[in-house]
Amino acid sequence: GTDLKAVTSSLMKRSDAYFVDYMLMGLMTHQNYLKVCSGQFNKAKLAGDEEEEIAALNEMCNATEAMSDFGVVEENLRGGDQNWALLPLSAMLAVKVGHHAGGPNGGFLPGNAEFAGWLGKNSTRNKKIRLLGELRHHMNYKVSADNAELRMNYLPLMRKQLLGLLFDSEGARAKEAIELMDEYGLDRDDVFENLDEFVLNSGGNKEKKFADLDSKAKAAFTRAYNSMAHKAQALVSEQGAEKTKKKKGGGSETAEGGDLDAIDDDKNAAEQDSDDEDQEDMEALKKKFMKKGKGKAKAKPKAKKSKK
């Protein structure tokens, strides 16, 4: 029979290996366990043993179920509940995945272990969630939708409309595209950078992107966009359209009349007069100091030599 002490020692060693970095080991196991399973299956297939093949497939199924259970425990461990008492169970499930994948004697990993790809995917996911939140913030005065509805129902149609205007066969219809952007509170970066992040290419069909617009058309669009005033509520603070005036107490308030782009001519004239007065005072002060400097610079009369 198997030595119970050796089995227990092996189990504890595997558990200790998990705790070398319990934040990463589960992800590394998830990334590589199917490679070990496939090695067991290929070995049985080369030997021509159908029973071993079925056994390898069953072990693969068991490893996948253990990995699924590991994911459930990790969600409760690191999610909203933060139940860290589940950490030993998480370690045992990771060991269970390795046991089913490699068999009782341990498996063989062909080649080098791959680094956890989940980290890169999660970074991309967080980036797209952030960009989607920005688009929703820009469009929220026109569109009442949450992030999921905006992504599924609004953005595909918005992309289609803008692509049709900018890639028109008779030339880019920049003015119409800008009017559509202003109506929904989108700026240039939203169109040329953010919308391209939400493209699903299926069946090998590559969709057009705004970045594919030729440089001349893009430059013409940018000139047209910069030549216009954009009063979308969400873009006021971002594009510097807010005109403010100082209060006596040091605060600021928007220009009278409620128009964010309004310019107070009387205020500008008063500021200009104040600047002129300050300039005159500065010139008078400079002349005063220059006169003092000339007085000090006059040569002193030579002292008479004493007679010997």
Side-chain angles (χ1 to χ4, degrees), residues 75-92:
E75 179 64 26
N76 285 275
L77 194 152
R78 305 180 195 279
D81 295 337
Q82 299 240 327
N83 188 359
W84 289 96
L86 295 173
L87 194 57
L89 176 59
S90 177
M92 287 298 104

Side-chain angles (χ1 to χ4, degrees), residues 231 243 254-262:
K231 298 182 181 180
K243 302 289 188 269
T254 53
E256 294 179 0
D259 189 354
L260 294 170
D261 285 333

Side-chain angles (χ1 to χ4, degrees), residues 37 40 56 58-60 62-64 66 95-103:
C37 291
Q40 299 288 333
N58 287 331
E59 289 298 320
M60 184 183 295
N62 293 332
T64 304
V95 172
K96 187 173 187 287
V97 173
H99 170 74
H100 289 303

Side-chain angles (χ1 to χ4, degrees), residues 23-301:
M23 302 290 287
L24 185 62
M25 286 301 175
L27 297 174
M28 295 293 290
T29 303
H30 176 265
Q31 185 71 27
N32 295 282
Y33 80 97
L34 286 177
K35 287 185 176 181
V36 181
C37 291
S38 62
Q40 299 288 333
F41 176 78
N42 291 334
K43 182 179 178 181
K45 191 173 183 179
L46 288 174
D49 190 340
E50 293 185 1
E51 292 183 0
E52 286 294 326
E53 289 182 28
I54 294 174
L57 290 175
N58 287 331
E59 289 298 320
M60 184 183 295
C61 178
N62 293 332
T64 304
E65 288 179 353
M67 197 75 245
S68 178
D69 293 339
F70 174 86
V72 173
V73 172
E74 283 283 296
E75 179 64 26
N76 285 275
L77 194 152
R78 305 180 195 279
D81 295 337
Q82 299 240 327
N83 188 359
W84 289 96
L86 295 173
L87 194 57
L89 176 59
S90 177
M92 287 298 104
L93 286 172
V95 172
K96 187 173 187 287
V97 173
H99 170 74
H100 289 303
N105 299 323
F108 174 73
L109 180 64
N112 297 323
E114 291 185 10
F115 190 73
W118 180 89
L119 296 172
K121 296 292 184 181
N122 187 59
S123 176
T124 302
R125 172 179 173 269
N126 290 335
K127 175 188 174 184
K128 293 192 175 183
I129 289 174
R130 176 179 58 80
L131 292 177
L132 190 59
E134 291 180 5
L135 288 170
R136 180 169 173 251
H137 169 66
H138 291 172
M139 299 172 69
N140 65 357
Y141 79 101
K142 187 72 175 180
V143 173
S144 58
D146 59 8
N147 284 1
E149 188 177 0
L150 182 69
R151 171 66 185 90
M152 292 188 293
N153 297 330
Y154 285 90
L155 293 189
L157 293 176
M158 186 68 66
R159 286 192 79 258
K160 186 177 180 181
Q161 285 282 85
L162 290 170
L163 285 171
L165 293 171
L166 295 177
F167 286 90
D168 190 80
S169 58
E170 297 180 358
R173 293 148 64 183
K175 185 177 179 181
E176 296 178 36
I178 293 170
E179 289 175 355
L180 180 61
M181 290 164 57
D182 287 342
E183 184 178 356
Y184 284 91
L186 299 175
D187 63 7
R188 185 184 179 282
D189 290 341
D190 289 334
V191 174
F192 283 94
E193 296 179 13
N194 296 347
L195 285 181
D196 279 345
E197 294 288 338
F198 302 97
V199 177
L200 294 176
N201 294 325
S202 59
N205 296 325
K206 188 177 179 181
E207 291 190 25
K208 282 184 179 179
K209 293 186 177 182
F210 294 102
D212 298 334
L213 193 65
D214 63 89
S215 57
K216 289 184 179 179
K218 193 179 293 186
F221 176 87
T222 303
R223 285 194 299 269
Y225 184 82
N226 292 338
S227 66
M228 300 180 185
H230 309 285
K231 298 182 181 180
Q233 295 175 5
L235 302 180
V236 169
S237 60
E238 295 181 12
Q239 295 193 359
E242 187 174 5
K243 302 289 188 269
T244 60
K245 62 180 180 181
K246 297 256 177 136
K247 291 183 179 178
K248 290 183 180 178
S252 63
E253 61 183 5
T254 53
E256 294 179 0
D259 189 354
L260 294 170
D261 285 333
I263 298 174
D264 192 343
D265 293 333
D266 294 335
K267 172 176 168 282
N268 291 343
E271 289 178 353
Q272 185 66 33
D273 293 341
S274 177
D275 292 342
D276 292 342
E277 290 176 4
D278 292 341
Q279 187 69 21
E280 290 175 3
D281 292 341
M282 185 61 69
E283 292 294 334
L285 193 61
K286 283 182 181 179
K287 289 179 181 179
K288 184 177 179 180
F289 278 103
M290 287 175 67
K291 287 179 181 179
K292 285 185 179 181
K294 286 181 180 179
K296 290 181 181 179
K298 288 182 179 179
K300 295 181 179 180

